[in-house]
């Protein structure tokens, strides 16, 4: 009785513990990249928006909603209309995200410039959203797309708070985080995202930075482009041509 | 089937997804509860580790209070999660770049330390109760004692050593359990109302405030109800600590706003109207005037004129200040969590308001129920183990090692 | 060490709990987790296999070849069929027709793109409905645009 038995028993227990802790090493899966016939190593996606071309028809918003079953009142992509006038007056609106287009509402100042800005998830290189996901449900693929695993997400909403662009939301039916996926189910089959296909004026373009002949890659390399909130250093993969200083 | 959407009023322009409030009353309640947990533990630590004798009368009670609130602390979170059945993902696959993933480790570590400390503090009482009981009650208490019955002076000395060690680790654990929430908000660059390095310290200081305030309220209530005497030295000490913590809290909160107002960067254009219109009542009236200024004055009187005060006066000043500060800390949590979501990331607009409904899943009734449950937990604890004076070995009974 | 039995016993209990937790964790972590990064690799396949709803105008061609040929050569060739007529998945499923293809005839629908609005590039064809009708001589009505314009070949004149 007493201390000696305790010590011996304890050491035995420690040995057992060491054995059990080895279990995870046996169970860890091995990775080798690539999924079937699509090889994500060949792609690094990028999106280019030309503000000067957008007519604010909202067909992109409508098409995205249909393609991805986006619930009412929530948006994976949306259009903002800016009307800027003398004296620094700015009027911004986005009626139902631009889903049904825009109408000519009156503003009480003389408009000197106006434009439409399509917005969506920027699929940042330095994502603030995947950084804060507590369970690893939000992640970036090797081809540069930020996705949410709806079977693993616990619906805490931290990523929604962390996105500076307001591109995320909690899905009211599935109760998990949701956002634009650049139509991953389409682009991995060689199609373009639904919004890009729908745009009648080529305001939205989609490209692959790993393809030397890619026109989007060329445009970004040779023409002045901007990103939203550059000071936050999220390093978006959505580039804008013709962005005004009033756009956040 | 998509539930009917109640689209809120928006003033100005808000990003279309921004109009939905993601973090509700539950997320206001959660840091409120963990703040009390941390504050109560620190008061207990002031006796158990730093030997502040005047706090001995409530040293056990504060541990029990910390436990009571700790037990219910996860409930608001589970209620809020979209998939509470997957809540364990936070400890199965934690993503450590996320402050929220820290919750799993911090909560369980602190819970472990608290449970261990409770066991060592009350071990003697558990064994004495086991000795005096018969039947099932005896078996339960014997199991709680882990079937060892040594309450000799040497064994109790080992217990005191263990308590000191656990308290020493427990203080940073409790502080991190509450501080990480501050970091969770403070490290988010997307929201200018939340983003500040001061946030973890503000949360911690206000957590301490709410913990001490809750102890004052509960201690006085418990003594009133049981006919016990309110120890004047204890209350005087708690007043001093409450005054200190609240001064630190309010100074930091004001400092943050003064810095924003002075720097006048982009965020201030949105935060200034937020404070003066949307949050005018909850911030200026409740948090600053009712919740900070008045208790500051009451406590100043109570602390500086402590010698001249009649017990009844001191107790009343203390109780009233404590109640007001409990409201202040809740208002602060509200203003941070809800205020930060009223303002859109477009910096051009606000959501009209957020009014939790009475019978909503994350509504008022749920919050009140969870809060009351903490008191129920504390009450149950007090029925199982004595929370004020510990049990004494009767004359003639041996400390020994047996159950007998 | 004499009076430490209770300490040792508690220590063993704590270690036991930690070990059990570790085992449970290993059992409940999804199998493909961590393969390519801190996420469930199986989700990639799940995302890739979601149903494609819009096939693009090329998917309309097999059944609507005539119209497709006409459209592809005219001013609305940059407007995808599915933008006005709805996605193919609503119309065709498993190789067979499941619903009629919507046809939007209303003036409101045409004006959605072609109403003159601040912000639309000036080079884009846009009108103020009343002015346009006055100029060309017509009465406002629900489908008035179609009385002159064929949506698949909308441009009039040379």
């Amino acid at each position: 009785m007493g201390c000696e038995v305790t010590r011996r028993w304890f050491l035995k227990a420690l040995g057992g513990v060491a054995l059990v802790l080895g279990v995870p090493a046996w169970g860890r899966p091995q990775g080798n990249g690539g999924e079937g016939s699509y090889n994500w190593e060949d792609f690094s996606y990028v999106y280019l928006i030309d503000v000067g071309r957008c007519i604010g028809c909202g067909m992109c918003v409508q098409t995205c909603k249909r393609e991805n079953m986006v619930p009412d009142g929530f948006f994976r992509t949306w259009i903002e209309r800016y009307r800027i006038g003398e004296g620094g007056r700015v009027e911004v609106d986005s009626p139902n995200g631009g889903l049904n287009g825009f109408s000519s509402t009156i503003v009480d100042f003389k408009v000197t410039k106006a434009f439409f800005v399509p917005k969506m998830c920027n699929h940042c290189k330095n994502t603030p959203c995947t950084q804060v996901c507590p369970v690893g449900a939000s992640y970036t693929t090797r081809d540069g797309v930020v996705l949410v695993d709806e079977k693993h997400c616990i619906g805490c909403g931290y990523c929604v708070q962390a996105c500076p662009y307001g591109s995320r939301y909690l899905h009211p039916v599935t109760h998990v985080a949701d956002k634009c996926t650049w139509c991953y189910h389409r682009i991995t089959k060689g199609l373009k995202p639904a919004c890009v296909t729908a745009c009648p004026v080529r305001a939205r373009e989609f490209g692959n930075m790993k393809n030397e002949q890619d026109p989007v890659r060329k445009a970004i390399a040779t023409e002045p482009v901007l990103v939203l909130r550059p000071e936050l250093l999220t390093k978006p993969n959505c580039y804008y041509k013709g962005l005004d200083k009033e756009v956040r | 089937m998509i539930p009917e959407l109640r689209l809120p009023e928006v003033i100005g322009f808000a990003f279309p997804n921004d109009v939905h409030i993601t973090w509700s009353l539950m997320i206001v309640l959660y840091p409120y509860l963990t703040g009390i947990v941390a504050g109560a533990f620190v008061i207990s630590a002031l006796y158990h580790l730093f030997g502040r004798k005047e706090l001995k009368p409530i040293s056990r009670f504060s541990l029990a209070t910390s436990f009571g609130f700790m037990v219910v602390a996860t409930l608001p979170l589970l209620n809020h999660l979209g998939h509470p059945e997957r809540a364990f993902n936070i400890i199965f696959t934690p993503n450590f770049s996320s402050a929220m993933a820290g919750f799993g480790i911090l909560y369980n570590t602190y819970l472990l330390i608290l449970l261990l400390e409770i066991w060592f503090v009350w071990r003697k009482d558990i064994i004495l109760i086991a000795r005096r009981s018969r039947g099932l009650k005896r078996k339960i208490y014997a199991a709680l004692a882990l079937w060892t019955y040594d309450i000799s002076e040497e064994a109790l000395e080992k217990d005191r050593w263990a308590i000191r060690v656990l308290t020493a680790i427990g203080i940073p654990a409790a502080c991190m359990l509450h501080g990480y929430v501050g970091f969770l908000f403070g490290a988010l660059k997307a929201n200018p109302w939340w983003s500040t390095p001061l946030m973890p310290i503000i949360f911690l200081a206000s957590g301490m405030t709410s913990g001490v305030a809750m102890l004052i309220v509960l201690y006085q209530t418990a003594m009133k109800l049981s006919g016990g005497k309110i120890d004047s030295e204890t209350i005087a000490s708690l007043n001093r600590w409450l005054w200190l913590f609240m001064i630190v809290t309010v100074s930091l909160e004001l400092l943050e706003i003064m810095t924003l107002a002075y720097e006048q960067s982009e965020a201030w254009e949105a935060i200034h109207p937020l404070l003066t219109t949307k949050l005018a009542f909850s911030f200026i009236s409740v948090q600053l005037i009712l919740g900070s200024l008045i208790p500051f004055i009451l406590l100043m009187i109570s602390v500086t004129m402590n010698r001249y005060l009649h017990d009844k006066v001191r107790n009343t000043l203390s109780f009233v200040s404590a109640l007001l500060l409990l409201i202040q800390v809740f208002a602060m949590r509200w203003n941070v969590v809800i205020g930060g979501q009223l303002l859109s990331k477009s910096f051009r607009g606000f959501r009209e308001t957020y009014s939790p409904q009475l019978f909503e899943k994350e509504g008022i009734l749920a919050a009140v129920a969870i809060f009351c449950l903490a008191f129920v937990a504390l009450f149950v604890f007090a029925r199982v183990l004595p929370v004020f004076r510990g049990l004494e070995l009767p004359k003639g009974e041996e400390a020994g090692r047996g159950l007998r | 060490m004499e009076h430490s039995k209770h300490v040792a016993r508690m220590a063993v209990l704590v270690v036991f709990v930690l070990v059990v937790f570790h085992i449970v964790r290993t059992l409940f972590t999804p199998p493909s987790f961590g393969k390519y990064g801190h996420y469930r690799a199986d989700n990639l396949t799940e995302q890739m296999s979601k149903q494609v709803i819009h096939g693009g105008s090329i998917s309309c061609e097999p059944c609507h070849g005539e119209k497709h040929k006409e459209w592809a050569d005219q001013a609305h060739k940059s407007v995808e069929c599915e933008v006005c007529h709805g996605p193919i998945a609503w119309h065709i499923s498993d190789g067979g027709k499941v619903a009629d293809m919507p046809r939007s005839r209303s003036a409101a629908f045409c004006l959605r793109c072609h109403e003159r609005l601040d912000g639309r590039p000036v080079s884009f064809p846009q009108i103020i409905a009343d002015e346009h009708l006055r100029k060309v001589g017509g009465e406002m009505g629900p489908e008035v645009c179609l009385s002159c314009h064929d949506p698949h070949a909308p441009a009039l004149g040379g």
Side-chain angles (χ1 to χ4, degrees), chain A residues 44-48 182 205-209 214 216-217 220 237-239:
Chain A
S44 178
Y45 295 114
V46 69
Y47 207 108
L48 180 62
W182 273 351
E205 289 182 76
F206 193 69
N208 175 14
M209 293 300 262
D214 192 284
V216 175
R217 174 179 148 149
I220 293 170
N237 273 316
C238 271
Y239 294 87

Side-chain angles (χ1 to χ4, degrees), chain B residues 139-203:
Chain B
K139 286 204 173 61
I140 293 175
Y141 279 88
L144 278 177
L146 291 186
W147 304 281
T148 64
Y149 313 103
D150 187 354
I151 47 173
S152 61
E153 195 44 46
E154 294 90 336
L156 293 179
E157 188 50 49
K158 297 266 188 297
D159 287 352
R160 280 190 282 274
W161 169 86
I163 292 168
R164 276 198 301 278
V165 168
L166 285 167
T167 310
I169 324 173
I171 297 175
C175 290
M176 285 196 62
L177 173 66
H178 191 54
Y180 97 92
V181 178
F183 185 81
L184 199 147
F185 287 101
L188 222 51
K189 61 190 172 191
N191 195 319
W193 183 223
W194 292 345
S195 177
T196 167
L198 288 176
M199 201 56 96
I201 319 233
I202 294 177
F203 265 75

Side-chain angles (χ1 to χ4, degrees), chain A residues 82-89 107 109-114, chain C residues 118:
Chain A
Y82 288 74
R83 283 178 288 187
I84 298 166
E86 266 139 20
R89 296 290 307 273
V107 284
F109 57 90
K110 184 172 179 309
V111 177
T112 54
K113 67 177 165 179
Chain C
D118 288 331

Side-chain angles (χ1 to χ4, degrees), chain C residues 3 18-20 28 52 62-63 68 82 87 96 100 108 134 136-137 142:
Chain C
H3 297 270
L18 289 173
V19 165
V20 166
F28 277 91
V52 172
C63 298
H68 188 273
E82 286 164 312
D100 281 332
R134 233 177 297 132
V136 302

Side-chain angles (χ1 to χ4, degrees), chain C residues 25-91:
Chain C
R25 177 171 172 233
T26 316
L27 290 173
F28 277 91
T29 304
S32 68
F33 204 92
K35 192 167 169 196
Y36 300 121
H38 196 80
Y39 56 94
R40 202 172 57 92
D42 284 346
N43 183 244
L44 286 164
T45 336
E46 286 161 18
Q47 298 264 7
M48 280 161 50
S49 11
K50 286 195 177 151
Q51 190 196 4
V52 172
I53 306 285
H54 293 78
S57 300
I58 200 78
S59 66
C60 311
E61 209 255 329
C63 298
H64 301 273
E66 284 277 318
K67 255 307 176 301
H68 188 273
K69 198 154 142 223
E70 191 193 339
W71 160 87
D73 215 16
Q74 298 295 325
H76 268 175
K77 63 178 180 240
S78 62
V79 185
E80 287 286 304
C81 310
E82 286 164 312
V83 162
C84 298
H85 292 292
I88 189 160
W90 290 5
H91 180 48

Side-chain angles (χ1 to χ4, degrees), chain A residues 3 9 24 29 33 35 40 55 57-58 63 66-67 99 104 114 136 139 148-149 151 185-186 188-189 197 200, chain C residues 1 12 19 22 31 36 38-40 43-44 46-48 51 53-54 78 80 90 112-113 115 119-120 124:
Chain A
C3 215
W9 193 93
E35 295 288 333
W40 59 1
I55 59 170
C57 64
T63 307
R66 292 172 176 176
E67 179 76 26
L99 181 64
S104 53
Y139 61 96
V148 178
D149 181 350
K151 292 216 182 98
H185 60 295
R186 294 174 60 93
T188 50
K189 296 187 179 83
T197 321
Chain C
M1 280 321 223
V12 165
V19 165
H22 198 78
Y36 300 121
H38 196 80
Y39 56 94
R40 202 172 57 92
N43 183 244
L44 286 164
E46 286 161 18
Q47 298 264 7
M48 280 161 50
Q51 190 196 4
I53 306 285
H54 293 78
S78 62
E80 287 286 304
W90 290 5
R112 185 163 155 175
C113 288
E115 182 180 0
R120 291 198 157 141
F124 185 78

Side-chain angles (χ1 to χ4, degrees), chain A residues 73 75 80 130-135 150-156 158 160-163 166 174 232 246 248, chain B residues 5 13 15-17 20 22-23 80 82-83 86 89 93-95 97-98 100 184 189-190 266 341 345-346 348:
Chain A
F75 303 89
E80 295 171 8
T130 59
Q131 183 186 27
V132 300
C133 175
V135 298
E150 62 240 345
K151 292 216 182 98
H152 204 64
C153 174
I154 61 176
C156 70
Y158 199 7
V160 178
Q161 305 290 0
C163 176
T174 61
L232 293 182
E246 290 298 340
R248 300 264 168 38
Chain B
L5 207 64
F13 170 67
F15 288 149
N17 286 326
H20 305 281
T22 315
W23 284 350
H80 157 75
H83 284 269
R86 296 181 194 165
N89 282 348
T93 61
N95 178 20
S97 69
S98 166
M100 203 182 276
L184 199 147
K189 61 190 172 191
E266 184 178 40
Q341 293 177 91
K345 293 181 183 129
S346 67
R348 291 185 196 274

Side-chain angles (χ1 to χ4, degrees), chain C residues 1 10 30 105 112 150:
Chain C
M1 280 321 223
M10 185 45 106
R105 295 200 146 92
R112 185 163 155 175
D150 173 357

